[in-house]
Amino acid sequence: AEDTVERIVAGQVSDLASAVKELIDNSLDAGATTIQIKLVNSGLELIEVSDDGSGILKSSRPLVAMKHATSKIREFDDLYRDTHSGQHLGFRGEALFCLANLSENLIVTTRTEREEVGQRLEYRQDGYCRGGEGGAVAAPRKVGTTVQVVKLFNSLPVRRSDMERRIKAQKARLIKLMQGYALLCLGVRFNLVEVTNNGKNNNNNSSNSGSSSSKTSLQTSERS
């Protein structure tokens, strides 16, 4: 079936680190200076990337999880121009499409500076917005975008099982990836927050009484 083929060929998202990388690239393309990554149960339950970038235009929101709909490629030479110049990182326009295909649910909350309040949208595995044109609901937030990936690889049981088995190694790879971004992206702050539902409250920053959290911050400043 076509949807099965799409899930198999969504190879750019192969593990926890590659999923987060795609979302970080989108945040950097939006001009973000602060990017926060939150993992619930090491990312097995939820991966959330939030930024203070420019947000997603209203006209683009129904399309963001459709294949190639947000691609920055307009002609063949753009493949080389954008890759070599670093002008665009998420130039293919496939990140959210892949994540929607591979997860139980994809949730995007975004606001631009022209809006007084943001919008929250949920996307099906085929990339269409749940609820159609009326699916967006008002959601208060600052200018920027938050993407939540619920249960990555839920639609591929074998890959999901592999992720669960190797989650510690995948999380270590993610931390190395973030360290690399922190070195290369001057003036951008990266925060990693881990929330574990363990029935204990070991941290004052816990989201609720049944969870504990830890936070790692990485930042570089402009060279003088």
Side-chain angles (χ1 to χ4, degrees), residues 183-218:
L183 290 172
L184 292 171
C185 303
L186 301 180
V188 180
R189 177 185 293 274
F190 296 86
N191 296 323
L192 173 62
V193 178
E194 294 188 59
V195 179
T196 305
N197 297 323
N198 58 7
K200 298 179 180 179
N201 186 355
N202 299 320
N203 192 299
N204 291 331
N205 294 326
S206 299
S207 59
N208 57 61
S209 60
S211 67
S212 64
S213 65
S214 63
K215 183 175 181 179
T216 302
S217 295
L218 300 167

Side-chain angles (χ1 to χ4, degrees), residues 135-156:
V137 296
R141 67 148 294 153
K142 296 180 179 179
V143 174
T145 301
T146 298
V147 179
Q148 296 173 301
V149 182
V150 181
K151 293 187 178 180
L152 181 64
F153 299 133
N154 190 63
S155 59
L156 295 174

Side-chain angles (χ1 to χ4, degrees), residues 44 158-170:
L44 293 172
V158 174
R159 193 176 292 185
R160 173 73 181 183
S161 178
D162 181 66
M163 180 181 178
E164 292 172 349
R165 187 174 64 254
R166 299 192 300 121
I167 193 61
K168 288 186 178 179
Q170 292 194 18

